[in-house]
Amino acid sequence: MICPDLAVPSYIIFSADAPPLLYYSHIPAIVISLFFGFFVYFKNKYSLISKILLSMSIVFSSWAILNLIVWTSVNSNVIIFSWSFFGILNVLLSILSLYFVYVFIEKKDVSIRIKVLLGLIILPTIIFTPTRYNLSGFDLTLCGCAGFEEKYFLDYYYIASFLMFFWILFLAISRYRKAEQKFKKQIVLLTIGIESFLFSFFITGFLASYLADIGYLKDYRFEQYGLFGMTFFMGMLAFLIVKYKAFNIKLIGTQALVVAQFILIGSMFFFAQSLTNQILVGVTLIGTTIMGGYVIRSVKAEIARKEELQKISDALAIANQRLKELDLTKSEFISIASHQLRTPLTAIKGYISLILEGSYGKVPAVIQDVLDKVYTVNSRLVHLVEDLLNVSRIEAGCIQYSFVQAQLEPLVAELVEMFTPTARSKNLLLQMRLPKKPLPPLTIDPNKIKEVLSNLIDNALKYTKEGGVTVTLEGDKKRARISVTDTGIGIRAEDKENLFEKFTRSKETTKMVASGAGLGLYVGKNFVEAHGGRIWAESPVPSEGGQAPMEGDGADKGSRFIIELPLVNPKIHIGISDQPSPSEKT
Ligand code: ADP
């Protein structure tokens, strides 16, 4: 029964007669709102928004405490005194809610004009609260303890409260449209939280007051449910803080959950009727609090570790970006330098050829010999510059391919013929093996494949002292394979891994042949992969038809380089090539 019996001795707030729901709805809401208000305030003392939130929670708790007194006290003076504050606190709470939402969304204080307007709205309640226009008497017939509320005063404060309710809604909707995506969500959460609180708080109070007034509802118990709205609002604020670091507060979800759990279990005290139950709730509360403390500590440690890792990875990302920029600058430099070198070197090559061919008259034998050497050295330089240019184009992603349908047999034959004099001068046997039945034409860029293959044959001859080099072409229905096998110095196990990286040369080869920059295989791999094919090396050379051992040291056991190209490559369309780069055109 909600009406205290005047004969039963009762304390101001705690009464044996009061229904458990009364305490359950009031006390946790008071504790939560005060806890939250002070928590946000102490975390962020100087911000306006935390001051407003603290004021809201104080006003709300005052209302709830006075309400408890009204429900439980038997002293009519105390009841009437407490009751008289409801109107002013209601209006103040709604004005503070509007102020709170405004500052949260706009991130600035309201203008003086609005402050004056809000002041004017609350003014009548300040003036009339202590007068008989607020509460005019004490109605003993209605439940034995109800204040007699004056209609105009009641109307005024509910109208003012609902006005604030709609003002908040209007403000939120109009700002929502302009806000950025992340902030939109925050506006929605805050508005739902605060509006549901205001709505449940006012509507239940409103129904209780008006329906009771017209004698329809015989008690005011309705009111008690409105207070749960505050807990919901605080839940929303906690979520905003955890998810979006609202109010600039760092709070981890675990902390919020542990506190919520503490309050929920603590609230059960108001329901626990027997001593046994109260002891059980107490033990559970202590147990969960201790465990919660451990959980918070471990989560915090985990977060600290993650933040540390994040810092390191951010620093790495910056360093990486810097490296990429440097790499790009380097590629640009190489590209420009190579361009400047290529033109004079090609001119030198052309003139020496003309001299050697006798276009400027007969060349004496001594000079011929010197010129041959100059020609060879110059050719190497041209080759190197060409490789450097290719590397810078690959890195800038602007290699241009001209795919056509072509046979591989003539291409292989031409290169073998071209290298035969070199092989002969080194006393090496250069042979070629072609398939009995010609392979179908492939979609390739013949110049690029020629460049790759000529580098492989050149390497094989360079790194072989005795024996020979065999170029084999074979194929099946799906792919064509060109392999270049030599009986040379082979490849050591430790060198195999990085063979196709740029600027990679093994110690042995550097000792054997000083020239070479370690770029040919890198360029070749890029060209072959652009054809949808693959290239790899085997050393030691497997026996005829045998499988190459994956591991093993190939030093002095010869090497084999294999290019595999698909017969049909759906990714390549004839006539379509990569964008020509400015460097390609020159
Ligand atoms: P370069 O020959 O100009 O040094 P490449 O990129 O063509 O550059 O070759 C890279 C490295 O691969 C060579 O320096 C050499 O160590 C190794 N290599 C290439 N071909 C052979 C081969 N036929 N036999 C042994 N080692 C080879």
Side-chain angles (χ1 to χ4, degrees):
M1 182 59 201
I2 45 98
C3 296
D5 185 333
L6 290 173
V8 174
S10 169
Y11 303 100
I12 283 193
I13 292 184
F14 291 98
S15 156
D17 272 357
L21 177 68
L22 182 68
Y23 296 126
Y24 188 65
S25 65
H26 283 63
I27 295 180
I30 295 170
V31 172
I32 291 171
S33 79
L34 282 179
F35 171 81
F36 214 87
F38 279 103
F39 173 77
V40 171
Y41 176 73
F42 283 117
K43 285 267 177 185
N44 219 340
K45 267 190 193 159
Y46 300 104
S47 91
L48 176 61
I49 194 130
S50 50
K51 287 178 194 159
I52 304 173
L53 189 65
L54 180 61
S55 317
M56 276 174 78
S57 65
I58 291 173
V59 171
F60 170 80
S61 331
S62 312
W63 186 97
I65 291 168
L66 291 173
N67 194 259
L68 258 187
I69 295 174
V70 168
W71 277 100
T72 51
S73 176
V74 289
N75 184 327
S76 55
N77 283 335
V78 172
I79 295 177
I80 264 294
F81 176 78
S82 310
W83 197 306
S84 62
F85 287 100
F86 290 161
I88 189 168
L89 291 179
N90 248 322
V91 178
L92 195 57
L93 195 57
S94 55
I95 286 178
L96 284 172
S97 303
L98 171 73
Y99 195 12
F100 180 76
V101 174
Y102 185 94
V103 176
F104 183 85
I105 294 180
E106 300 288 341
K107 297 191 171 52
K108 61 173 191 210
D109 202 351
V110 294
S111 65
I112 291 286
R113 278 207 337 245
I114 295 183
K115 275 186 188 162
V116 171
L117 180 67
L118 296 177
L120 287 176
I121 291 176
I122 200 162
L123 192 63
T125 57
I126 298 175
I127 296 171
F128 292 107
T129 291
T131 70
R132 65 184 189 81
Y133 296 104
N134 176 10
L135 289 180
S136 61
F138 198 71
D139 185 355
L140 281 169
T141 58
L142 188 72
C143 226
C145 59
F148 199 69
E149 290 170 318
E150 276 301 311
K151 189 174 167 358
Y152 293 123
F153 190 83
L154 201 64
D155 285 348
Y156 180 78
Y157 83 66
Y158 274 112
I159 289 174
S161 304
F162 280 110
L163 178 76
M164 294 302 129
F165 177 87
F166 287 109
W167 194 338
I168 291 174
L169 201 62
F170 171 77
L171 183 77
I173 292 174
S174 63
R175 294 299 185 274
Y176 175 85
R177 294 204 200 115
K178 292 179 214 150
E180 58 182 58
Q181 203 52 38
K182 202 173 147 199
F183 198 53
K184 271 187 177 161
K185 286 190 189 152
Q186 299 188 36
I187 295 180
V188 171
L189 288 173
L190 181 80
T191 314
I192 292 178
I194 206 156
E195 291 286 64
S196 16
F197 158 61
L198 289 181
F199 188 75
S200 64
F201 189 61
F202 295 144
I203 211 76
T204 48
F206 176 80
L207 289 179
S209 298
Y210 280 83
L211 294 184
D213 254 15
I214 55 170
Y216 189 73
L217 193 81
K218 283 281 184 272
D219 64 53
Y220 292 77
R221 222 177 330 188
F222 233 81
E223 233 172 33
Q224 297 172 13
Y225 295 97
L227 279 86
F228 290 117
M230 179 46 119
T231 315
F232 179 67
F233 171 46
M234 292 297 150
M236 281 292 195
L237 287 186
F239 183 72
L240 277 172
I241 291 178
V242 172
K243 180 97 199 270
Y244 299 103
K245 301 200 174 44
F247 318 115
N248 290 328
I249 293 175
K250 264 195 190 171
L251 176 77
I252 48 175
T254 337
Q255 280 170 322
L257 279 178
V258 168
V259 172
Q261 200 182 21
F262 181 83
I263 292 168
L264 281 176
I265 298 175
S267 314
M268 281 162 70
F269 270 119
F270 303 106
F271 272 134
Q273 304 281 349
S274 70
L275 184 67
T276 325
N277 280 354
Q278 278 170 353
I279 292 173
L280 277 177
V281 170
V283 172
T284 318
L285 192 63
I286 294 170
T288 44
T289 310
I290 294 172
M291 261 156 51
Y294 278 117
V295 173
I296 291 176
R297 219 191 289 167
S298 67
V299 170
K300 269 189 170 170
E302 186 60 29
I303 291 177
R305 249 201 309 274
K306 261 194 193 160
E307 280 175 355
E308 193 57 33
L309 266 179
Q310 188 59 43
K311 260 191 222 156
I312 296 172
S313 99
D314 286 350
L316 267 179
I318 294 171
N320 200 20
Q321 182 59 30
R322 180 94 192 94
L323 273 179
K324 274 189 191 154
E325 283 164 18
L326 280 175
D327 205 42
L328 205 70
T329 321
K330 179 212 70 192
S331 299
E332 274 167 17
F333 168 75
I334 293 177
S335 173
I336 294 166
S338 314
H339 268 291
Q340 302 303 323
L341 284 172
R342 189 167 66 165
T343 322
L345 286 177
T346 322
I348 294 172
K349 193 176 168 183
Y351 283 120
I352 300 175
S353 289
L354 286 175
I355 298 172
L356 285 173
E357 279 163 16
S359 305
Y360 300 103
K362 200 170 169 345
V363 186
V366 206
I367 296 179
Q368 170 106 21
D369 203 33
V370 175
L371 277 180
D372 271 341
K373 283 184 183 136
V374 173
Y375 184 82
T376 315
V377 174
N378 188 66
S379 297
R380 255 189 237 147
L381 264 179
V382 172
H383 190 72
L384 176 66
V385 167
E386 210 42 68
D387 271 349
L388 285 173
L389 267 174
N390 277 330
V391 170
S392 62
R393 282 176 201 147
I394 288 168
E395 280 171 9
C398 55
I399 287 270
Q400 190 190 17
Y401 292 92
S402 305
F403 290 107
V404 292
Q405 290 276 309
Q407 297 285 149
L408 282 179
E409 285 85 350
L411 189 146
V412 174
E414 184 192 329
L415 286 177
V416 170
E417 195 188 323
M418 196 176 103
F419 278 99
T420 303
T422 318
R424 206 173 291 139
S425 70
K426 286 190 77 181
N427 277 333
L428 295 173
L429 181 67
L430 176 61
Q431 19 170 12
M432 165 175 77
R433 284 191 198 151
L434 296 179
K436 288 189 193 102
K437 223 172 101 194
L439 295 179
L442 273 79
T443 312
I444 52 168
D445 179 337
N447 285 331
K448 298 282 188 293
I449 297 298
K450 237 190 241 178
E451 221 174 306
V452 184
L453 189 56
S454 99
N455 182 52
L456 293 187
I457 303 174
D458 187 40
N459 278 349
L461 292 171
K462 249 189 339 194
Y463 304 124
T464 304
K465 280 188 194 140
E466 50 193 48
V469 174
T470 311
V471 183
T472 314
L473 174 65
E474 55 197 347
D476 54 30
K477 280 182 190 149
K478 285 189 177 158
R479 54 189 78 86
R481 258 185 191 198
I482 314 168
S483 53
V484 180
T485 313
D486 64 52
T487 53
I489 60 165
I491 304 161
R492 282 171 177 272
E494 65 263 31
D495 293 330
K496 270 186 206 162
E497 208 178 311
N498 301 323
L499 213 57
F500 291 89
E501 302 286 318
K502 63 189 162 182
F503 302 110
T504 303
R505 303 196 75 210
S506 73
K507 267 189 209 150
E508 282 63 35
T509 44
T510 317
K511 267 187 249 158
M512 189 175 169
V513 183
S515 69
L519 293 174
L521 290 181
Y522 170 76
V523 172
K525 183 171 154 59
N526 274 277
F527 285 179
V528 171
E529 282 174 358
H531 283 74
R534 58 190 193 111
I535 179 170
W536 72 98
E538 291 170 355
S539 180
V541 174
S543 56
E544 200 83 0
Q547 278 282 314
M550 294 300 284
E551 306 291 329
D553 193 31
D556 289 325
K557 293 188 185 129
S559 15
R560 170 179 291 167
F561 284 79
I562 301 131
I563 304 172
E564 196 174 82
L565 296 168
L567 284 193
V568 183
N569 191 336
K571 284 189 196 151
I572 298 172
H573 303 288
I574 295 175
I576 297 175
S577 57
D578 292 8
Q579 284 294 308
S581 73
S583 55
E584 282 269 319
K585 286 178 191 160
T586 52

